[in-house]
Amino acid sequence: MSTAFRSTRILAMQPTRSLLMRRTPMMRGPVPKEDQSAHTISQRLRQLKKIPAELIPLGVVIAVAVGAAVFSITRKLYVDKTLRLKRTGKE
């Protein structure tokens, strides 16, 4: 039993390998241009087809939430008469 304990202690105490840290090599070639650098509206609409179908319901829910938040704050600012929009006191 004591030999098994000693062998695990020896394994646990081995030094770790040093990490080889190197700089990343500099890119020597020019930056590649986009497929379509001058986007028109129709080209941008065609890119919407690349959006995965699973993200469309998420976008709709976020759009509804943002719309409801804008509606709510706008209504609060116009309807609430007790809301102080200006300083009160000495003028």
Side-chain angles (χ1 to χ4, degrees):
M1 185 166 164
S2 65
T3 59
F5 178 71
R6 285 185 189 156
S7 64
T8 56
R9 271 183 71 193
I10 291 171
L11 289 175
M13 298 298 286
Q14 290 180 351
T16 58
R17 255 180 22 188
S18 63
L19 297 174
L20 297 175
M21 300 277 200
R22 294 185 210 155
R23 279 186 359 174
T24 55
M26 293 177 55
M27 296 183 71
R28 293 191 173 93
V31 177
K33 280 186 99 175
E34 291 184 19
D35 295 337
Q36 303 165 343
S37 58
H39 291 290
T40 61
I41 293 173
S42 61
Q43 288 172 337
R44 288 187 188 272
L45 289 176
R46 269 188 255 131
Q47 286 183 346
L48 289 177
K49 292 180 182 177
K50 295 179 183 176
I51 296 175
E54 300 88 23
L55 294 181
I56 293 174
L58 179 65
V60 170
V61 169
I62 290 175
V64 168
V66 169
V70 169
F71 172 77
S72 176
I73 193 68
T74 305
R75 184 173 180 275
K76 179 75 171 174
L77 291 174
Y78 280 108
V79 173
D80 192 6
K81 299 299 180 195
T82 61
L83 188 67
R84 290 187 340 158
L85 298 176
K86 297 178 183 171
R87 290 183 179 183
T88 56
K90 295 181 180 180
E91 292 186 15

